[in-house]
Amino acid sequence: TRLETEGLFDPASRRAIPRFPSRVGVVTSPAAAAFQDVLASFRRRAPHIEVVLYPSAVQGAGAGAALAEAVLTASARASTDEIDLLLLVRGGGSLEDLWAFNDETLARSLRRCPVPVIAGIGHETDVTIADLAADVRAATPTGAAELASAGFHEAASRLVVLERALGSTMRARLHTLEQRLDRSTLRLRHPGERLAQAREQC
């Protein structure tokens, strides 16, 4: 197809998702359940991540052009808004509901975006042109947020493991020191015993 010829779907052009993004842009409708799903996922997994919304219609006449415009706005403001990553999300729906995400202009705007893009559109079985043009495709909007916060979530889980290991190591070390102290105590003699022994030897 023309988009493939342009290299919009080339795996070699895919960019890596930042491991610890601090501010994430989201292109979607502010009234969409998908936006609330993204916010809920961030609150649960990485509450310090800041979200910048670039609002757009997500279905109906002109939605494809509106989505492309929102992505272009995010691209133009990426440096000013200091976003590290962009999410393009929409909840499930019929093929007609998701048709705006097959817009060719939208696909091109995603590839021109200066920051990596995760697309979380519909359900796992739904695949749109925007999914193919994004750097990473998530199965759902929640999945997109989970991918965006994966580094923080893994780090938090790792810290829990390290904390437990450190606690176990410290307890073992203290136990060893207590045993050594007990043995040293047994070797100590009361000063009175030493004086008595000295008098006997005189």
Side-chain angles (χ1 to χ4, degrees), residues 29-53:
S29 167
F35 185 49
Q36 296 306 316
D37 290 344
V38 167
L39 293 179
S41 181
F42 282 153
R43 280 195 298 269
R44 186 176 67 254
R45 295 165 58 89
H48 58 281
I49 289 181
E50 298 180 26
V51 173
V52 180
L53 175 65

Side-chain angles (χ1 to χ4, degrees), residues 163-178:
E163 182 182 16
R164 290 174 181 167
L166 179 60
S168 178
T169 300
M170 290 298 294
R171 285 191 294 272
R173 177 62 174 162
L174 287 172
H175 181 66
T176 299
L177 292 174
E178 287 172 356

Side-chain angles (χ1 to χ4, degrees), residues 143-165:
E146 288 175 349
L147 286 174
S149 58
F152 294 110
H153 188 67
E154 291 168 5
S157 299
R158 179 63 177 160
L159 282 175
V160 171
V161 172
L162 290 174
E163 182 182 16
R164 290 174 181 167

Side-chain angles (χ1 to χ4, degrees), residues 122-137:
H123 300 300
E124 188 170 0
T125 55
D126 299 315
V127 181
T128 67
I129 288 176
D131 286 305
L132 301 176
D135 294 289
V136 175
R137 174 185 177 259

Side-chain angles (χ1 to χ4, degrees), residues 87-139:
L87 307 189
L88 174 67
V89 296
R90 191 229 191 269
S94 66
L95 179 62
E96 292 75 18
D97 291 337
L98 302 179
W99 194 253
F101 293 88
N102 289 315
D103 186 272
E104 292 187 8
T105 303
L106 172 59
R108 293 187 181 96
S109 71
L110 293 174
R111 294 314 310 155
R112 295 190 186 110
C113 186
V115 297
V117 179
I118 300 176
I121 301 162
H123 300 300
E124 188 170 0
T125 55
D126 299 315
V127 181
T128 67
I129 288 176
D131 286 305
L132 301 176
D135 294 289
V136 175
R137 174 185 177 259

Side-chain angles (χ1 to χ4, degrees), residues 1-76:
T1 66
R2 182 170 58 256
L3 296 179
E4 286 179 318
T5 302
E6 293 178 24
L8 267 65
F9 306 150
D10 184 2
S13 68
R14 299 285 186 266
R15 294 165 293 186
I17 301 304
R19 185 167 173 77
F20 301 112
S22 59
R23 183 173 290 183
V24 175
V26 180
V27 171
T28 193
S29 167
F35 185 49
Q36 296 306 316
D37 290 344
V38 167
L39 293 179
S41 181
F42 282 153
R43 280 195 298 269
R44 186 176 67 254
R45 295 165 58 89
H48 58 281
I49 289 181
E50 298 180 26
V51 173
V52 180
L53 175 65
Y54 302 98
S56 172
V58 292
Q59 70 181 69
L67 286 163
E69 186 63 29
V71 172
L72 290 174
T73 298
S75 297

